[in-house]
């Protein structure tokens, strides 16, 4: 046991010092205004799928605030793989829309909503989200045309719910299918240092409900918090002015 500890500790200390030295050397470069904005403060992302509809739509371009949760290995391009943990770390809140690297494939960025934090018990029952054995408050809204959200025929209607988390975060979700494949799940207990993420388009989202594809997401995989839509184009390439400036 003593030999193992003596072997690990110097390596961890060395890695920490290497990370600090690299960050110090990068300061003069990153302080230039364009690079400061792009690599330190905000990062732009485009939305390629409908998993977060109706909040985020295909063709939306969003800004993710990197400083919201601190800086880690996935905060900067080409960051060394030995960097561990986050500098200035802060955990997300219920309802935050976050960009993160997939725990199953760290080359892929995902955008989802945080619905579970360390120690929480999460479950879906007949399409309703339960947090720590209590149903998350939701109110039925008027059905609307599903468009591409449900992958069905043109004119198909989709159920909508306004969901409100215990901290007051409120947003609209889509419910394409009654008792769909992931509408009834086991109880997921979120481990320390992780969060549980769902898409707002509940029947068409690859998220933490699917263990083999995503599962619980490590906090260290966070890239940033989605703050607003800064550009939006429809399928014809036309500008959607009504979506610009909306907060995620």
């Amino acid at each position: 046991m003593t030999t193992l500890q003596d072997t690990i500790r110097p390596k961890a200390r060395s890695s920490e010092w290497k990370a600090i030295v690299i960050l110090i050397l990068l300061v003069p470069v990153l302080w230039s205004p364009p690079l400061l904005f792009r690599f330190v403060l905000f990062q732009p992302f485009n939305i390629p799928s409908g998993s977060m509809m109706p909040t985020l739509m295909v063709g939306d371009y969003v800004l993710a605030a990197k400083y919201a949760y601190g800086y880690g290995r996935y905060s900067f391009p080409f960051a060394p793989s030995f960097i561990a943990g986050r500098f200035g770390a802060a955990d997300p809140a219920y309802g935050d829309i976050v960009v993160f690297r997939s725990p199953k494939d760290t080359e892929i960025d995902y955008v989802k909503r945080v619905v579970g934090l360390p120690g929480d018990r999460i479950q879906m029952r007949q399409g309703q989200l339960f947090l720590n054995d209590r149903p998350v408050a939701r109110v039925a809204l008027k059905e609307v045309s599903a468009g591409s959200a449900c992958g069905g025929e043109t004119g198909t209607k989709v159920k909508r719910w306004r969901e409100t988390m215990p901290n007051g975060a409120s947003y609209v979700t889509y419910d394409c299918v009654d008792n769909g494949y992931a509408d009834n799940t086991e109880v997921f207990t979120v481990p320390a240092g992780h969060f549980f993420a769902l898409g707002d388009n509940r029947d068409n989202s690859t998220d933490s409900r699917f263990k083999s594809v995503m599962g619980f997401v490590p906090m260290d995989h966070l890239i940033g918090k989605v703050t607003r839509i800064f550009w939006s184009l429809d399928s014809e390439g036309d500008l959607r002015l009504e979506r610009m400036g909306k907060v995620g």
Side-chain angles (χ1 to χ4, degrees):
M1 182 173 69
T2 302
T3 303
L4 181 61
Q5 290 176 340
D6 290 343
T7 303
I8 290 177
R9 286 179 177 174
K11 287 185 177 180
R13 199 176 296 122
S14 175
S15 295
E16 290 172 2
W17 276 110
K18 287 180 182 177
I20 292 170
V21 170
I22 289 172
L23 287 173
I24 292 173
L25 292 174
L26 285 175
V27 166
V29 177
L30 295 177
W31 197 248
S32 63
L35 291 178
L36 178 67
F37 183 89
R38 171 63 175 80
F39 293 113
V40 180
L41 299 179
F42 295 93
Q43 184 170 344
F45 292 90
N46 72 296
I47 306 302
S49 76
S51 69
M52 280 296 294
M53 292 178 71
T55 309
L56 300 176
M57 301 177 66
V58 176
D60 285 345
Y61 290 76
V62 301
L63 289 175
K66 289 185 163 186
Y67 56 84
Y69 309 124
Y71 299 92
R73 175 182 174 186
Y74 301 108
S75 299
F76 307 103
F78 314 115
S81 60
F82 59 73
I83 292 179
R86 289 176 292 150
F87 298 95
D91 289 346
Y94 293 126
D96 283 2
I97 300 177
V98 298
V99 178
F100 57 91
R101 288 291 174 88
S102 166
K104 304 298 183 181
D105 184 348
T106 56
E107 298 298 316
I108 301 176
D109 297 322
Y110 277 87
V111 56
K112 303 291 177 186
R113 191 180 296 276
V114 175
V115 299
L117 297 171
D120 284 340
R121 296 183 304 281
I122 305 295
Q123 187 178 26
M124 297 294 295
R125 302 181 194 173
Q126 297 183 340
Q128 184 167 13
L129 175 63
F130 278 67
L131 174 61
N132 295 324
D133 306 316
R134 294 186 177 183
V136 171
R138 66 175 186 171
V139 176
L141 303 177
K142 183 180 178 180
E143 293 184 7
V144 297
S145 174
S148 61
C150 297
E153 298 178 359
T154 303
T156 301
K157 298 289 186 178
V158 60
K159 290 182 180 179
R160 299 186 302 152
W161 299 91
R162 175 160 292 282
E163 196 168 83
T164 303
M165 298 296 288
N167 64 345
S170 185
Y171 46 87
V172 178
T173 66
Y174 274 175
D175 183 7
C176 293
V177 182
D178 290 334
N179 289 317
Y181 179 74
D183 278 349
N184 295 281
T185 70
E186 62 181 284
V187 176
F188 301 94
T189 301
V190 185
H194 293 70
F195 63 90
F196 195 94
L198 290 179
D200 289 350
N201 188 357
R202 294 288 163 79
D203 292 309
N204 284 289
S205 173
T206 299
D207 47 44
S208 292
R209 292 173 292 181
F210 303 95
K211 292 180 179 179
S212 62
V213 182
M214 182 176 293
F216 304 116
V217 182
M219 294 288 186
D220 289 351
H221 284 224
L222 284 165
I223 295 175
K225 176 183 178 180
V226 173
T227 57
R228 64 186 63 251
I229 298 167
F230 71 90
W231 193 253
S232 184
L233 300 174
D234 64 19
S235 58
E236 302 298 322
D238 295 326
L239 185 62
R240 294 184 290 211
L241 283 172
E242 74 280 2
R243 296 196 58 74
M244 292 174 62
K246 286 189 174 182
V247 178

